[in-house]
Amino acid sequence: VPVPGASCPRIPAPSPGSRRCGARGRVTAGSRRQVTAEQLRARGNALFQAGDHGAALAAYTEALSLSDAAPERAVLHRNRAACYLKLEDYAKAEADATKAIEADGRDVKALFRRSQALQQLGRLDQAVGDLQRCVSLEPRNKAFQEALRALGSSMHEKMKTMSCTDSKVEQMFQILLDPEEEDADKKQKAAQNLIVLAREEAGAEKIFQSDGVRLLTQLLDTAKAELMLAALRTLVGLCSGHRSRTLAILAELGAPRLSAVLGVDHEQVSLAACNLLHVMFDSLKEGLQKDFRGKEEAVVLDSSRDLKLLIRHLLELLALEGASAHGRDNALNLLIKVVPRKSPKETNNSMSLWVIDQGLKKILEVGSTVCGSPGSLPVTENSRMSASVLLSKLYEDLKCDAERENFHHLCEDYVRGWFEGHELPGKLRAIQTVSCLLQGPSDAGNRVLELEGIMDSVLSLCASVCEAHQLVAVEALIHAADKAKRASFITANGVSLLKEIYKHSERDSIRIRALVGLCKLGSAGGTDFSMKQFAEGSTMKLAKQCRKWLCNEAIDAGTRRWAVEGLAYLTFDADVKEEFVEDKAAMQAMFHLAKSEDRSVLYAVASTLVNCTNSYDHEEPDPQMLELAKYAKQHIPEQHPKDKPEFVKRRVRKLLMAGVVSALACMVKSENPALTNSCRELISRVFLALVEEAEDRGAVVAQGGGKALIPLSLEGTEVGQTKAAQALAKITITSNPEMAFPGERIYEVVRPLVSLLHLQRTGLENFEGLMALTNLAGISERLRQKILKERAVPMIEGYMFEEHELIRLAATECMCNMAMSKEVQELFLAEGSDRLKLMVLYSGEEDEKLRRAASGTLAMLTALHPPICKRIPQVTVHWLEILQALLLSPSAELQHRGAVVVMNMMAAAREVAEQLIASEMLEILSVLAKDKDKP
């Protein structure tokens, strides 16, 4: 700001005939004689001596374009090599020096410069060769002798280090493979060093070149857990992102050996083998090619044959009796991750089709396993659920009716094969397969359920005296009751049977399952209060029994899981929800189960919580349609009185106090197939309900909710991702984002928030996304760059034209904070853009908040990017009256913004200042300057 009374000297405008000092005019051929290559070289030499290496390079390059003589060109190439060395472009320095040497092999300057470039490029042996040539040409040159001595010393150090690494690798393997070595700490240290070395590319290559794969194979063959773990973890380093090494390792180890290691009894070894195979799959499918000097780029490596070989052995492992239960689970998890397409945008589903043809029956072998029956495969409590998820993923990956029909036929043939030819054990296997399919691809399950005799067998086996048989049949009946098509049939035929079992069975494991069947049938009306299947009070009795079993720790976790399944259906009833949230012991027992090893309970827990928080979708019925329905005597759904907002709010508070957030965070961390996309969606819905009230958001963040929401917003169903993103937005709006998402986590929040700006999102989601991005954009330039990278600016601009005043305001506020970025400032000067015009016009709108945001943006832009000041008078004829209106506003904030804009415009350009002073602006400013109430 100029000091009052002091005058600033003004540079006079140049006359049309004069040329400003420093401006470069083009010199025509007639104005002075042609510049020669020799003169340009001399100019380059002078510039080089003065330290202006870039300008010297330009002079030598221009001289080269004018010179045809070979000796002169060689000197110019040599001089350019010196420039490139100074500019640290060593590849070009080597190339230019080589051209000089090709013209004259005895050019010691060119040889010396090339040796310097080669040294920097790490090619020490070639650098030594050039220096030795220099010394032989000029034996008395001390500079050459000293350089050769220093380079020899450097090479010696490097060779020493390399031989040291070689000897260390050799030593580590000797320690690990020595059967007489009894020092456990020494072995553990050697194993750890090997793993760490393999994580670095240079170390991985060194192990690989030192016959490491053969030695690692020997470690695997020792059958000692700690040595096998060391070998597997080292192999992960060797295979990560390197396709050619992965192919070589696969060829050396062989798929059968890897499959056998996956199937061992030791859980950690099996998991490490699973991790190695996952890395190998990734490297074979899309591995980065990191071979030296790009040799591999010239070779097309077809790895589809190797992928199929690995997958075939995984499928064989599923049905192998000698494989461990954990190995079988890991094989299923791997197949879920690597076989189906990652996205529907990928057109090629050939791998899924191949797996269905080659291995569908092997997957069904796991799904049909009846625990405790003779010859059954070893499985965990998660195995059948994993098989269901894999079957579901494969079915979803099919693209046409013919492919789906083939899937149905294979399933039907498998079930028929067991049902028709193996008497009772076969019938049990067939019914267990039906359960597996109903939990996975339910279309296939329904088709199989309709096969002749299946449903009759299910009902008759429900009355079996054998507990194992009864368990299989009751579970099948429960899964069948899920489907509306079958529910009416079972209500007619199975309810009395289930009641009978529930009342008279002496086994809790059977009673609890019968109760779940009754719960499912009793909740067929969903949240519709007017549609109740059972007599008044029956659902409350069932829920009470479920809570009792859930809290009974004497019952095994696998059986207690069914109590949660029952509550997942019964909590459609608001009375049940109210009683459940009052029972803190039952809530905490459920949360404890959610954190347990049995991951098959996740969906039931998530469903129960969705019901308790009312976070399912519910549309408000159209009043006109309601009247029509009454007139036509149609059924009208009714809301339970205890599902009103005040009851839901109270239930959310009770869940938060019981520790629901830590349970949800633990569920999200699960790598188990049971955490399906639909399960993720349910968890996202619950989180959104938990952060609905601003005062609850701090507690959600403190218990790990913010961290858990990020993966939910990036993976899963579109609805689930949107709900999680909206929950993140609510947290970002009312909390300090740097506290809610510490460190690098804050940058991961940007993409989910930007996704809320897409056109298919609701107005509320757009609004909350803009509000959250406004907060982030005000924090740092790095965050603004991240928002720019996610291409959010065009969407933010689009919402500035939105009819809804709150969305328009939020977009303008967001743009105000984004305007601190240089890239955004440049957009306001783009040719043909109305961005600046819109901001100026919004500064004159009636809505005070919108005026505040727009004038704030103008104040920011004019301060940070002065050329914008000159453009403002050009965008609209109303610019002066808008600025005057800001200064005359009763709002001090608007006056302040207006004053800043005018000050910036005054300072930016004389012609703009003259326009401002010619108006009434000076009088307005004079009045404001005297206002002592607004300092």
Side-chain angles (χ1 to χ4, degrees), residues 595-670:
K595 298 174 185 178
S596 70
E597 287 295 311
D598 184 358
R599 293 315 208 176
S600 54
V601 77
L602 294 182
Y603 194 86
V605 172
S607 299
T608 306
L609 292 171
V610 164
N611 292 340
C612 287
T613 56
N614 281 32
S615 47
Y616 38 73
D617 290 327
H618 41 86
E619 291 181 15
E620 289 298 320
D622 185 338
Q624 287 183 323
M625 295 304 291
L626 280 178
E627 288 302 316
L628 281 170
K630 284 177 187 174
Y631 180 75
K633 295 183 180 176
Q634 292 290 317
H635 170 71
I636 300 164
E638 291 177 29
Q639 188 188 38
H640 196 293
K642 290 181 181 175
D643 271 335
K644 288 180 178 171
E646 59 269 25
F647 285 93
V648 176
K649 190 175 174 181
R650 195 160 57 241
R651 289 202 292 267
V652 166
R653 287 275 158 80
K654 299 258 180 175
L655 287 166
L656 283 167
M657 286 164 64
V660 66
V661 177
S662 60
L664 289 171
C666 192
M667 288 161 74
V668 173
K669 285 179 194 169
S670 169

Coordinates of all heavy atoms in Angstrom, one line a residue, residues 595-670:
K595 N -16.1 -60.2 16.7 CA -14.7 -60.1 16.7 C -14.0 -61.5 16.7 O -12.8 -61.6 16.7 CB -14.2 -59.3 17.9 CG -14.7 -57.9 17.9 CD -14.3 -57.2 19.3 CE -14.9 -55.8 19.4 NZ -14.6 -55.2 20.6
S596 N -14.8 -62.6 16.8 CA -14.2 -64.0 17.0 C -13.7 -64.5 15.6 O -13.9 -63.9 14.6 CB -15.3 -64.9 17.5 OG -16.3 -65.1 16.6
E597 N -13.2 -65.7 15.7 CA -12.6 -66.4 14.5 C -13.7 -66.8 13.5 O -13.5 -66.8 12.3 CB -11.8 -67.6 14.9 CG -10.5 -67.4 15.6 CD -9.5 -66.7 14.6 OE1 -9.3 -67.2 13.5 OE2 -8.9 -65.7 15.0
D598 N -14.9 -67.1 14.0 CA -16.0 -67.5 13.2 C -16.6 -66.3 12.5 O -17.4 -65.6 13.0 CB -17.1 -68.2 14.0 CG -18.2 -68.8 13.1 OD1 -18.2 -68.6 11.9 OD2 -19.2 -69.4 13.7
R599 N -16.2 -66.1 11.2 CA -16.6 -64.9 10.5 C -17.9 -65.1 9.8 O -18.4 -64.1 9.2 CB -15.5 -64.6 9.4 CG -14.2 -64.1 10.0 CD -14.3 -63.1 11.1 NE -13.2 -62.2 11.2 CZ -13.2 -61.2 12.0 NH1 -14.2 -61.0 12.8 NH2 -12.2 -60.4 12.1
S600 N -18.5 -66.3 9.8 CA -19.8 -66.5 9.2 C -20.9 -65.7 9.9 O -22.0 -65.6 9.4 CB -20.1 -68.0 9.1 OG -20.0 -68.5 10.4
V601 N -20.6 -65.2 11.1 CA -21.6 -64.4 11.8 C -21.7 -63.0 11.4 O -22.6 -62.2 11.8 CB -21.3 -64.5 13.4 CG1 -20.1 -63.6 13.7 CG2 -22.5 -64.2 14.2
L602 N -20.8 -62.5 10.6 CA -20.7 -61.1 10.2 C -22.0 -60.5 9.6 O -22.4 -59.5 10.0 CB -19.5 -60.8 9.2 CG -18.1 -61.0 9.7 CD1 -17.1 -60.7 8.7 CD2 -17.8 -60.2 11.0
Y603 N -22.5 -61.3 8.7 CA -23.7 -60.8 8.0 C -24.9 -60.6 9.0 O -25.7 -59.6 8.9 CB -24.1 -61.7 6.8 CG -25.1 -61.0 5.9 CD1 -24.7 -60.2 4.9 CD2 -26.5 -61.3 6.0 CE1 -25.6 -59.6 4.0 CE2 -27.4 -60.7 5.2 CZ -27.0 -59.9 4.2 OH -27.9 -59.3 3.3
A604 N -25.1 -61.6 9.8 CA -26.2 -61.6 10.8 C -26.0 -60.4 11.8 O -27.0 -59.7 12.1 CB -26.2 -62.9 11.6
V605 N -24.8 -60.2 12.2 CA -24.5 -59.0 13.2 C -24.9 -57.7 12.4 O -25.5 -56.9 13.0 CB -23.0 -59.0 13.6 CG1 -22.7 -57.7 14.4 CG2 -22.8 -60.2 14.5
A606 N -24.3 -57.6 11.2 CA -24.6 -56.3 10.4 C -26.1 -56.1 10.2 O -26.6 -55.0 10.3 CB -23.8 -56.4 9.1
S607 N -26.8 -57.2 9.9 CA -28.3 -57.1 9.6 C -29.0 -56.7 10.9 O -29.9 -55.8 10.8 CB -28.8 -58.5 9.2 OG -28.2 -58.9 8.0
T608 N -28.6 -57.2 12.0 CA -29.3 -56.9 13.3 C -29.1 -55.4 13.6 O -30.0 -54.7 14.0 CB -28.7 -57.7 14.5 OG1 -28.8 -59.1 14.1 CG2 -29.4 -57.5 15.8
L609 N -27.8 -54.9 13.3 CA -27.5 -53.5 13.6 C -28.2 -52.6 12.6 O -28.7 -51.5 13.0 CB -26.0 -53.3 13.5 CG -25.2 -53.9 14.7 CD1 -23.7 -53.8 14.4 CD2 -25.5 -53.3 16.0
V610 N -28.4 -53.0 11.4 CA -29.1 -52.2 10.4 C -30.6 -52.0 10.9 O -31.2 -51.0 10.8 CB -29.1 -52.8 9.0 CG1 -30.1 -52.2 8.1 CG2 -27.7 -52.6 8.4
N611 N -31.1 -53.1 11.4 CA -32.5 -53.1 11.9 C -32.7 -52.2 13.1 O -33.6 -51.4 13.2 CB -33.0 -54.5 12.2 CG -33.2 -55.4 11.0 OD1 -33.3 -54.9 9.8 ND2 -33.2 -56.7 11.1
C612 N -31.7 -52.3 14.0 CA -31.8 -51.5 15.2 C -31.6 -50.0 15.0 O -32.2 -49.2 15.7 CB -30.7 -52.0 16.2 SG -31.1 -53.6 17.0
T613 N -30.8 -49.7 13.9 CA -30.6 -48.2 13.6 C -31.5 -47.7 12.5 O -31.4 -46.6 12.1 CB -29.2 -48.0 13.2 OG1 -28.9 -48.9 12.0 CG2 -28.2 -48.3 14.3
N614 N -32.4 -48.6 12.0 CA -33.4 -48.3 11.0 C -32.6 -47.7 9.8 O -33.1 -46.7 9.1 CB -34.4 -47.2 11.4 CG -35.5 -47.9 12.2 OD1 -35.3 -48.9 12.9 ND2 -36.7 -47.4 12.1
S615 N -31.5 -48.2 9.4 CA -30.7 -47.7 8.3 C -30.9 -48.4 7.0 O -30.2 -48.2 6.1 CB -29.2 -47.7 8.7 OG -28.8 -49.0 9.2
Y616 N -32.0 -49.2 6.9 CA -32.4 -49.7 5.7 C -33.1 -48.7 4.8 O -33.5 -47.6 5.4 CB -33.3 -51.0 5.9 CG -34.3 -50.8 7.0 CD1 -35.4 -50.0 6.9 CD2 -34.1 -51.5 8.2 CE1 -36.3 -49.8 8.0 CE2 -35.0 -51.3 9.3 CZ -36.1 -50.5 9.2 OH -36.9 -50.3 10.2
D617 N -33.3 -48.9 3.6 CA -34.0 -47.9 2.7 C -35.5 -48.0 3.0 O -36.1 -49.0 3.0 CB -33.8 -48.3 1.2 CG -32.4 -48.0 0.8 OD1 -31.8 -47.0 1.3 OD2 -31.9 -48.7 -0.1
H618 N -36.1 -46.8 3.2 CA -37.6 -46.8 3.4 C -38.1 -45.5 2.7 O -37.7 -44.4 3.1 CB -38.0 -46.9 4.9 CG -37.2 -46.1 5.8 ND1 -37.4 -44.8 6.1 CD2 -36.1 -46.5 6.5 CE1 -36.5 -44.4 7.0 NE2 -35.7 -45.4 7.2
E619 N -38.9 -45.7 1.8 CA -39.5 -44.5 1.1 C -40.8 -44.1 1.7 O -41.6 -44.9 2.1 CB -39.7 -44.9 -0.4 CG -38.5 -45.1 -1.2 CD -38.8 -45.5 -2.6 OE1 -39.9 -45.2 -3.1 OE2 -37.8 -46.0 -3.3
E620 N -41.0 -42.8 1.7 CA -42.2 -42.2 2.3 C -43.3 -42.4 1.2 O -43.1 -42.0 0.0 CB -42.1 -40.7 2.5 CG -41.2 -40.4 3.8 CD -41.8 -41.0 5.0 OE1 -43.0 -40.9 5.2 OE2 -41.0 -41.5 5.9
P621 N -44.4 -43.1 1.5 CA -45.4 -43.4 0.5 C -46.1 -42.1 0.0 O -46.3 -41.1 0.8 CB -46.4 -44.3 1.2 CG -46.2 -44.1 2.7 CD -44.8 -43.7 2.8
D622 N -46.5 -42.0 -1.2 CA -47.2 -40.9 -1.8 C -48.6 -40.8 -1.2 O -49.3 -41.8 -1.3 CB -47.2 -41.1 -3.3 CG -47.8 -39.9 -4.0 OD1 -48.6 -39.1 -3.4 OD2 -47.6 -39.7 -5.2
P623 N -49.0 -39.7 -0.6 CA -50.4 -39.6 0.0 C -51.5 -39.9 -1.0 O -52.5 -40.6 -0.6 CB -50.4 -38.1 0.4 CG -49.0 -37.7 0.5 CD -48.3 -38.4 -0.4
Q624 N -51.3 -39.5 -2.3 CA -52.4 -39.8 -3.3 C -52.5 -41.4 -3.5 O -53.6 -41.9 -3.6 CB -52.1 -39.1 -4.6 CG -52.3 -37.6 -4.5 CD -52.1 -37.0 -5.9 OE1 -51.2 -37.4 -6.6 NE2 -52.9 -36.0 -6.2
M625 N -51.3 -42.0 -3.5 CA -51.3 -43.5 -3.7 C -51.9 -44.2 -2.5 O -52.6 -45.2 -2.7 CB -49.9 -44.0 -4.0 CG -49.2 -43.5 -5.2 SD -50.2 -43.8 -6.7 CE -50.0 -45.6 -6.8
L626 N -51.7 -43.6 -1.3 CA -52.3 -44.2 -0.1 C -53.8 -44.1 -0.2 O -54.5 -45.1 0.1 CB -51.8 -43.4 1.1 CG -50.4 -43.8 1.7 CD1 -50.1 -42.9 2.9 CD2 -50.4 -45.3 2.1
E627 N -54.3 -43.0 -0.6 CA -55.8 -42.9 -0.8 C -56.4 -43.9 -1.8 O -57.4 -44.5 -1.6 CB -56.1 -41.4 -1.2 CG -55.9 -40.4 -0.1 CD -56.7 -40.7 1.1 OE1 -57.9 -41.0 1.0 OE2 -56.2 -40.6 2.2
L628 N -55.6 -44.0 -2.9 CA -56.1 -45.0 -3.9 C -56.1 -46.4 -3.4 O -57.0 -47.2 -3.6 CB -55.1 -44.9 -5.2 CG -55.4 -43.7 -6.1 CD1 -54.3 -43.7 -7.1 CD2 -56.7 -43.9 -6.9
A629 N -55.0 -46.7 -2.6 CA -54.9 -48.1 -2.0 C -56.1 -48.3 -1.1 O -56.6 -49.4 -1.0 CB -53.6 -48.2 -1.3
K630 N -56.4 -47.3 -0.3 CA -57.5 -47.5 0.7 C -58.8 -47.7 -0.1 O -59.6 -48.6 0.3 CB -57.7 -46.3 1.6 CG -56.6 -46.2 2.7 CD -56.8 -44.8 3.4 CE -55.7 -44.7 4.4 NZ -55.7 -43.3 5.1
Y631 N -59.0 -46.9 -1.1 CA -60.2 -47.0 -2.0 C -60.3 -48.4 -2.6 O -61.4 -49.0 -2.7 CB -60.2 -46.0 -3.0 CG -61.4 -46.0 -4.0 CD1 -62.7 -45.5 -3.5 CD2 -61.3 -46.5 -5.3 CE1 -63.8 -45.5 -4.3 CE2 -62.4 -46.5 -6.1 CZ -63.6 -46.0 -5.6 OH -64.7 -46.0 -6.5
A632 N -59.2 -48.9 -3.1 CA -59.1 -50.3 -3.7 C -59.0 -51.4 -2.7 O -58.9 -52.6 -3.1 CB -58.0 -50.3 -4.7
K633 N -59.1 -51.1 -1.4 CA -59.0 -52.1 -0.3 C -57.7 -52.9 -0.4 O -57.7 -54.1 -0.2 CB -60.2 -53.0 -0.3 CG -61.5 -52.2 0.0 CD -62.7 -53.1 0.1 CE -63.9 -52.3 0.5 NZ -65.1 -53.0 0.5
Q634 N -56.6 -52.2 -0.9 CA -55.3 -52.8 -0.9 C -54.6 -52.7 0.4 O -54.9 -51.8 1.2 CB -54.4 -52.2 -2.0 CG -54.9 -52.4 -3.4 CD -54.7 -53.8 -3.9 OE1 -53.6 -54.4 -3.7 NE2 -55.7 -54.4 -4.5
H635 N -53.6 -53.6 0.6 CA -52.8 -53.6 1.9 C -51.9 -52.3 1.9 O -51.3 -52.0 1.0 CB -52.0 -54.8 2.1 CG -51.0 -54.7 3.2 ND1 -51.4 -54.8 4.5 CD2 -49.7 -54.5 3.2 CE1 -50.4 -54.6 5.3 NE2 -49.3 -54.5 4.5
I636 N -51.9 -51.6 3.1 CA -51.1 -50.4 3.2 C -50.1 -50.7 4.4 O -50.5 -51.0 5.5 CB -52.0 -49.2 3.6 CG1 -53.0 -48.9 2.4 CG2 -51.1 -48.0 3.8 CD1 -54.1 -48.0 2.8
P637 N -48.8 -50.6 4.1 CA -47.8 -50.9 5.1 C -47.9 -49.8 6.2 O -48.2 -48.7 6.0 CB -46.4 -50.7 4.4 CG -46.8 -50.8 2.9 CD -48.1 -50.3 2.8
E638 N -47.7 -50.3 7.5 CA -47.8 -49.4 8.6 C -46.4 -49.3 9.4 O -45.8 -50.4 9.5 CB -48.9 -49.8 9.6 CG -50.3 -49.7 9.0 CD -51.3 -50.2 10.0 OE1 -51.0 -50.2 11.2 OE2 -52.4 -50.7 9.6
Q639 N -46.0 -48.2 9.8 CA -44.8 -48.0 10.6 C -45.1 -48.3 12.1 O -46.2 -47.8 12.6 CB -44.2 -46.7 10.4 CG -42.8 -46.6 11.1 CD -42.3 -45.1 11.1 OE1 -43.0 -44.2 11.3 NE2 -41.0 -45.0 10.9
H640 N -44.2 -49.0 12.8 CA -44.4 -49.3 14.2 C -44.2 -47.9 14.9 O -43.3 -47.2 14.6 CB -43.4 -50.3 14.6 CG -43.7 -50.9 16.0 ND1 -43.6 -50.2 17.1 CD2 -44.0 -52.2 16.3 CE1 -43.9 -51.0 18.2 NE2 -44.2 -52.2 17.7
P641 N -45.0 -47.7 16.0 CA -44.8 -46.4 16.7 C -43.4 -46.2 17.3 O -42.9 -45.1 17.4 CB -45.8 -46.5 17.9 CG -46.8 -47.5 17.4 CD -46.1 -48.4 16.5
K642 N -42.7 -47.4 17.6 CA -41.4 -47.3 18.2 C -40.3 -47.2 17.1 O -39.1 -47.3 17.5 CB -41.1 -48.5 19.1 CG -42.0 -48.4 20.4 CD -41.7 -49.6 21.3 CE -42.6 -49.6 22.5 NZ -42.4 -50.8 23.4
D643 N -40.6 -47.0 15.9 CA -39.7 -46.8 14.8 C -39.6 -45.3 14.4 O -39.0 -45.0 13.4 CB -40.0 -47.6 13.6 CG -39.3 -49.0 13.6 OD1 -38.3 -49.1 14.3 OD2 -39.8 -50.0 13.0
K644 N -40.2 -44.5 15.3 CA -40.1 -43.0 15.0 C -38.8 -42.5 15.4 O -38.0 -43.1 16.1 CB -41.2 -42.3 15.8 CG -42.6 -42.6 15.2 CD -43.7 -41.9 16.0 CE -45.1 -42.2 15.4 NZ -46.2 -41.8 16.2
P645 N -38.4 -41.3 14.7 CA -37.0 -40.8 14.9 C -36.5 -40.7 16.3 O -35.3 -41.1 16.6 CB -37.0 -39.4 14.3 CG -38.1 -39.5 13.3 CD -39.2 -40.5 13.8
E646 N -37.3 -40.3 17.3 CA -36.8 -40.2 18.7 C -36.4 -41.5 19.3 O -35.4 -41.6 20.0 CB -37.8 -39.5 19.6 CG -39.2 -40.2 19.7 CD -40.2 -39.7 18.6 OE1 -39.8 -39.2 17.6 OE2 -41.4 -39.8 18.9
F647 N -37.1 -42.6 18.9 CA -36.8 -44.0 19.4 C -35.4 -44.4 18.7 O -34.6 -45.0 19.4 CB -37.9 -45.0 19.1 CG -39.1 -44.8 20.0 CD1 -40.2 -44.0 19.6 CD2 -39.1 -45.5 21.2 CE1 -41.3 -43.9 20.4 CE2 -40.2 -45.3 22.0 CZ -41.3 -44.5 21.7
V648 N -35.3 -44.2 17.4 CA -34.1 -44.6 16.7 C -32.9 -43.9 17.3 O -31.8 -44.5 17.5 CB -34.2 -44.3 15.2 CG1 -32.9 -44.6 14.4 CG2 -35.4 -45.0 14.6
K649 N -33.0 -42.6 17.5 CA -31.9 -41.8 18.1 C -31.5 -42.4 19.4 O -30.3 -42.5 19.7 CB -32.4 -40.3 18.3 CG -31.3 -39.4 18.6 CD -31.9 -37.9 18.6 CE -30.8 -36.9 19.1 NZ -31.4 -35.6 19.1
R650 N -32.4 -42.7 20.2 CA -32.1 -43.3 21.6 C -31.4 -44.7 21.4 O -30.4 -45.0 22.1 CB -33.4 -43.4 22.4 CG -33.1 -43.7 23.9 CD -34.3 -43.3 24.8 NE -35.5 -44.1 24.4 CZ -36.6 -43.5 24.0 NH1 -36.7 -42.2 23.9 NH2 -37.7 -44.2 23.7
R651 N -31.9 -45.5 20.5 CA -31.2 -46.8 20.2 C -29.8 -46.6 19.8 O -28.9 -47.4 20.2 CB -32.0 -47.6 19.2 CG -33.4 -48.1 19.7 CD -33.9 -49.3 18.9 NE -34.2 -49.0 17.5 CZ -35.5 -48.6 17.1 NH1 -36.5 -48.6 18.0 NH2 -35.7 -48.4 15.9
V652 N -29.5 -45.7 18.9 CA -28.2 -45.4 18.4 C -27.2 -45.1 19.6 O -26.1 -45.6 19.7 CB -28.2 -44.3 17.3 CG1 -26.8 -43.7 17.1 CG2 -28.8 -44.7 16.0
R653 N -27.7 -44.2 20.5 CA -26.9 -43.8 21.6 C -26.6 -45.0 22.5 O -25.5 -45.2 23.0 CB -27.7 -42.8 22.5 CG -27.8 -41.4 21.9 CD -26.6 -40.6 22.2 NE -26.4 -39.5 21.3 CZ -27.1 -38.4 21.4 NH1 -28.0 -38.2 22.3 NH2 -26.9 -37.4 20.5
K654 N -27.5 -45.9 22.7 CA -27.3 -47.1 23.5 C -26.3 -48.0 22.8 O -25.4 -48.6 23.5 CB -28.6 -47.9 23.7 CG -29.7 -47.2 24.4 CD -29.8 -47.6 25.8 CE -31.0 -46.8 26.5 NZ -31.3 -47.2 27.8
L655 N -26.3 -48.2 21.5 CA -25.4 -49.0 20.8 C -24.0 -48.4 20.9 O -23.0 -49.1 21.1 CB -25.8 -49.1 19.3 CG -27.0 -50.0 19.0 CD1 -27.5 -49.8 17.6 CD2 -26.6 -51.5 19.2
L656 N -23.9 -47.1 20.8 CA -22.6 -46.4 20.9 C -22.0 -46.6 22.3 O -20.8 -46.9 22.4 CB -22.7 -44.9 20.6 CG -22.9 -44.5 19.2 CD1 -23.3 -43.0 19.1 CD2 -21.5 -44.7 18.4
M657 N -22.8 -46.6 23.3 CA -22.3 -46.8 24.7 C -21.9 -48.2 24.9 O -21.0 -48.5 25.7 CB -23.4 -46.4 25.7 CG -23.6 -44.9 25.8 SD -25.2 -44.4 26.6 CE -24.9 -45.1 28.2
A658 N -22.5 -49.2 24.1 CA -22.1 -50.6 24.3 C -20.9 -51.0 23.5 O -20.4 -52.1 23.7 CB -23.3 -51.4 23.9
G659 N -20.3 -50.0 22.7 CA -19.1 -50.3 22.0 C -19.3 -50.8 20.6 O -18.5 -51.6 20.1
V660 N -20.3 -50.4 19.9 CA -20.6 -50.9 18.5 C -19.5 -50.5 17.5 O -19.2 -51.3 16.6 CB -22.0 -50.4 18.1 CG1 -22.0 -48.9 17.9 CG2 -22.4 -51.1 16.8
V661 N -18.9 -49.3 17.7 CA -17.9 -48.8 16.7 C -16.7 -49.7 16.6 O -16.2 -50.1 15.6 CB -17.5 -47.4 17.0 CG1 -16.5 -46.9 16.0 CG2 -18.7 -46.5 16.9
S662 N -16.2 -50.1 17.8 CA -15.0 -51.0 17.8 C -15.3 -52.4 17.2 O -14.5 -53.0 16.5 CB -14.5 -51.2 19.2 OG -15.4 -51.8 20.1
A663 N -16.6 -52.9 17.4 CA -17.0 -54.1 16.8 C -17.0 -54.0 15.3 O -16.5 -54.9 14.5 CB -18.3 -54.6 17.3
L664 N -17.6 -52.9 14.8 CA -17.7 -52.7 13.3 C -16.3 -52.5 12.7 O -16.0 -53.0 11.6 CB -18.5 -51.4 13.0 CG -20.0 -51.5 13.3 CD1 -20.7 -50.1 13.2 CD2 -20.7 -52.4 12.4
A665 N -15.4 -51.8 13.4 CA -14.1 -51.6 12.9 C -13.4 -52.9 12.8 O -12.6 -53.2 11.8 CB -13.3 -50.7 13.8
C666 N -13.6 -53.8 13.8 CA -13.0 -55.1 13.7 C -13.5 -56.0 12.6 O -12.8 -56.7 11.9 CB -13.2 -55.8 15.1 SG -12.3 -57.3 15.3
M667 N -14.8 -55.8 12.3 CA -15.5 -56.6 11.2 C -14.9 -56.1 9.9 O -14.7 -57.0 9.0 CB -17.0 -56.3 11.3 CG -17.7 -57.0 12.4 SD -19.3 -56.3 12.7 CE -20.3 -56.9 11.3
V668 N -14.6 -54.8 9.7 CA -14.1 -54.3 8.5 C -12.7 -54.8 8.2 O -12.3 -55.0 7.1 CB -14.1 -52.8 8.5 CG1 -13.5 -52.2 7.3 CG2 -15.6 -52.3 8.5
K669 N -11.9 -55.0 9.3 CA -10.5 -55.5 9.1 C -10.5 -56.9 8.6 O -9.4 -57.3 8.1 CB -9.8 -55.4 10.5 CG -9.4 -54.0 10.9 CD -8.7 -54.1 12.3 CE -8.6 -52.7 12.9 NZ -8.1 -52.8 14.3
S670 N -11.5 -57.6 8.7 CA -11.5 -59.1 8.3 C -11.2 -59.3 6.9 O -11.7 -58.6 6.0 CB -12.9 -59.7 8.6 OG -13.0 -60.9 8.0

